[in-house]
Amino acid sequence: MNKKLGINLNLKVMVKSIFFMCFLVLIYSCTSNLVKERANSEVTDVYVDVDDVIDELDFSLFLNDEAKFIKLETTDSCLISEMKQISYVDGKIYIADELSQSVYIFNDSGSFLKKIGVKGQGPGEYVRLGKFQVVGNYLYIKDDASPWKLYVYDLKSSVGRLMDIDENLSYDDFYLQGDNLYLVANNNSSYSYGCYNLLKLGMATNEMDCYLPFSENLAKQHSHWGLFSNISQYKDSLLIICSNNDTIYQSTKDGTSAKYAVHFSKRELPEDLRQKDGTTIMMTAMEKRYIKGLSSILNLDGYFIAQYGDYIMRSILYDKRTDEHTVANVLKLGKWGDLYMWEYSFSDDGKLIVADSGGAFLSSWKERYSNRTFIRSEDKKDLQKIYEQTSEEDNPIIGIFTLKNK
């Protein structure tokens, strides 16, 4: 044999061997997590009767009687047109605005503090504002126009930068917990790691753990669609959902596994339809009124709130202790004039923040809230005063409430 040819063949064998060994390391890393998932799997079935839906569910039963109502400052430099996300952290209100593609920050008296985030293609700029999360002195923003880009902004200086993470990642949602960055792929395959719906990146070690494998065919067919919220945390427990999948997963320090399997009594997506591309699934679901599955998840102490679309967005309030649930078209606050919970979120310290646009509040106060009872007369007086000071174009009206201690 020609010596040069023999050397080339040996080199090729060595390269293939090295590649295969790296592949085995990756598979072993992810497989070890799979074993952990299966060992901790205790799935609870949740049967949702799509015909057993009440119109309004009073969530104020889970809240203390104290409340605070705030009219957010409105100026030419601070004008919120369409709320995309709202958050309440350490006494400050954060609202992402769809039109301006920025996050506005107010104190809990309603005074405007600053605006963070800029749409663009320069340093520290994103193309499309996605989900945000406040952690300590930093604001994290996902660029929805990119499969992997995540920006971090200093809340004091407002300076932002692109985080140094793998460009081959593909994910729809994220959650930062301690030193770990959780990424929900939502049936998007990541070139570097394969088909896993939950990736956990150790920020200090730069090590990646892979959880919740899904079929490669779902990735190839693009059998997925965007959700309002894929991941939600309460204390050390994360709940995760993905499109084209009626399972709610739980991730804790003890492992990651399926926790709840949601079954809709009628009009679930047929199994053969689930294997098709996302556009076909969505168009067929609209035509035949199939329920595509859950659209958002909120993890609370003793409960979770999940939403699904059935012409309108419906909410499932699930009691984790009794395994009982109620489905409603809308959540309301009966203690405070049957205030609607259109836009809301929960803070880590047990606060509920509810927002209503200026125009919507004016209409609802006149036709509904002002004619209903309030548990405290001073709250009704405060809202009456806000009503008198509000115009159609004003920034949202905010209510802050506290969850009862269980």
Side-chain angles (χ1 to χ4, degrees):
M1 176 183 286
N2 183 287
K3 287 185 177 180
K4 186 175 181 181
L5 178 61
I7 291 171
N8 288 338
L9 287 173
N10 287 335
L11 285 173
K12 289 181 179 179
V13 171
M14 288 175 64
V15 169
K16 288 182 178 179
S17 298
I18 293 171
F19 176 81
F20 182 68
M21 289 174 65
C22 292
F23 177 76
L24 285 178
V25 170
L26 174 62
I27 294 299
Y28 175 77
S29 173
C30 294
T31 303
S32 65
N33 288 321
L34 295 183
V35 174
K36 201 172 187 180
E37 290 164 19
R38 291 170 185 152
N40 290 288
S41 181
E42 294 181 5
V43 183
T44 300
D45 291 305
V46 181
Y47 294 94
V48 177
D49 185 346
V50 298
D51 294 324
D52 186 13
V53 180
I54 64 175
D55 190 37
E56 299 179 353
L57 175 61
D58 187 3
F59 192 80
S60 68
L61 302 175
F62 305 96
L63 303 173
N64 292 331
D65 294 345
E66 295 76 22
K68 182 177 184 179
F69 296 98
I70 306 163
K71 183 181 186 300
L72 296 183
E73 180 182 352
T74 305
T75 65
D76 290 340
S77 60
C78 169
L79 191 59
I80 297 169
S81 299
E82 183 179 349
M83 287 180 284
K84 183 181 177 73
Q85 182 186 342
I86 184 168
S87 185
Y88 183 64
V89 182
D90 296 332
K92 293 184 177 64
I93 299 161
Y94 298 79
I95 300 180
D97 179 47
E98 183 69 42
L99 184 61
S100 67
Q101 292 285 289
S102 297
V103 178
Y104 292 87
I105 307 174
F106 304 82
N107 64 22
D108 59 4
S109 297
S111 297
F112 174 58
L113 300 178
K114 64 170 59 180
K115 180 178 74 172
I116 288 185
V118 179
K119 178 180 178 180
Q121 298 188 8
E125 298 176 346
Y126 43 79
V127 177
R128 187 166 69 243
L129 175 68
K131 176 184 174 180
F132 73 81
Q133 183 187 353
V134 179
V135 182
N137 294 319
Y138 298 94
L139 172 69
Y140 296 80
I141 297 178
K142 168 80 166 64
D143 186 347
D144 268 358
S146 164
W148 67 275
K149 288 183 178 179
L150 184 63
Y151 291 84
V152 56
Y153 292 83
D154 187 306
L155 287 173
K156 294 181 180 178
S157 67
S158 301
V159 175
R161 63 175 176 84
L162 179 64
M163 290 186 64
D164 184 20
I165 59 177
D166 193 339
E167 296 182 14
N168 294 310
L169 287 168
S170 184
Y171 63 95
D172 277 7
D173 204 349
F174 75 94
Y175 192 86
L176 188 62
Q177 184 183 52
D179 291 330
N180 294 317
L181 176 62
Y182 291 85
L183 308 171
V184 183
N186 197 34
N187 294 342
N188 290 289
S189 176
S190 292
Y191 178 79
S192 301
Y193 302 98
C195 298
Y196 292 88
N197 264 326
L198 182 64
L199 305 173
K200 184 177 74 172
L201 175 63
M203 302 296 287
T205 63
N206 205 34
E207 294 180 355
M208 185 75 79
D209 291 327
C210 312
Y211 306 88
L212 309 181
F214 63 92
S215 166
E216 186 177 353
N217 181 64
L218 293 180
K220 288 181 177 179
Q221 289 280 82
H222 302 286
S223 304
H224 53 84
W225 48 88
L227 304 182
F228 293 112
S229 172
N230 292 84
I231 186 168
S232 180
Q233 175 256 358
Y234 178 76
K235 291 188 176 178
D236 64 345
S237 170
L238 292 166
L239 292 184
I240 302 109
I241 60 172
C242 298
S243 61
N244 205 2
N245 186 339
D246 294 333
T247 302
I248 301 174
Y249 300 92
Q250 178 177 260
S251 182
T252 67
K253 58 182 176 58
D254 297 321
T256 301
S257 60
K259 183 64 177 176
Y260 304 97
V262 181
H263 309 275
F264 295 96
S265 62
K266 297 177 182 176
R267 297 180 275 112
E268 281 191 324
L269 284 178
E271 193 57 39
D272 59 338
L273 180 59
R274 290 182 184 272
Q275 306 306 314
K276 299 186 182 298
D277 64 276
T279 301
T280 299
I281 295 173
M282 295 185 72
M283 295 300 291
T284 305
M286 289 177 61
E287 177 187 348
K288 299 189 176 182
R289 204 185 165 190
Y290 290 135
I291 295 173
K292 300 196 305 294
L294 301 179
S295 300
S296 69
I297 187 74
L298 271 172
N299 193 14
L300 303 172
D301 181 18
Y303 298 86
F304 69 74
I305 300 173
Q307 291 185 313
Y308 69 92
D310 189 11
Y311 281 140
I312 63 172
M313 197 60 65
R314 290 177 169 154
S315 298
I316 305 168
L317 178 62
Y318 184 89
D319 190 324
K320 300 175 186 176
R321 293 155 296 190
T322 65
D323 293 327
E324 296 177 347
H325 69 273
T326 304
V327 183
N329 291 329
V330 64
L331 302 182
K332 70 176 183 180
L333 300 177
K335 292 180 181 180
W336 297 278
D338 289 339
L339 183 76
Y340 286 128
M341 290 174 57
W342 295 126
E343 298 286 343
Y344 63 92
S345 70
F346 295 87
S347 66
D348 292 341
D349 60 351
K351 300 292 186 183
L352 164 67
I353 179 169
V354 178
D356 211 352
S357 67
F361 170 75
L362 289 176
S363 175
S364 295
W365 177 264
K366 183 177 180 180
E367 298 178 7
R368 177 181 171 97
Y369 306 154
S370 63
N371 302 317
R372 307 294 172 93
T373 59
F374 280 68
I375 193 166
R376 301 193 313 170
S377 60
E378 55 264 43
D379 292 333
K380 190 169 187 177
K381 290 177 181 177
D382 288 344
L383 281 176
Q384 175 66 45
K385 184 177 180 180
I386 289 174
Y387 171 77
E388 294 168 357
Q389 298 172 344
T390 300
S391 65
E392 290 275 348
E393 296 77 22
D394 279 357
N395 278 336
I397 310 304
I398 303 295
I400 300 176
F401 312 87
T402 304
L403 288 166
K404 289 180 177 178
N405 292 324
K406 298 295 184 291

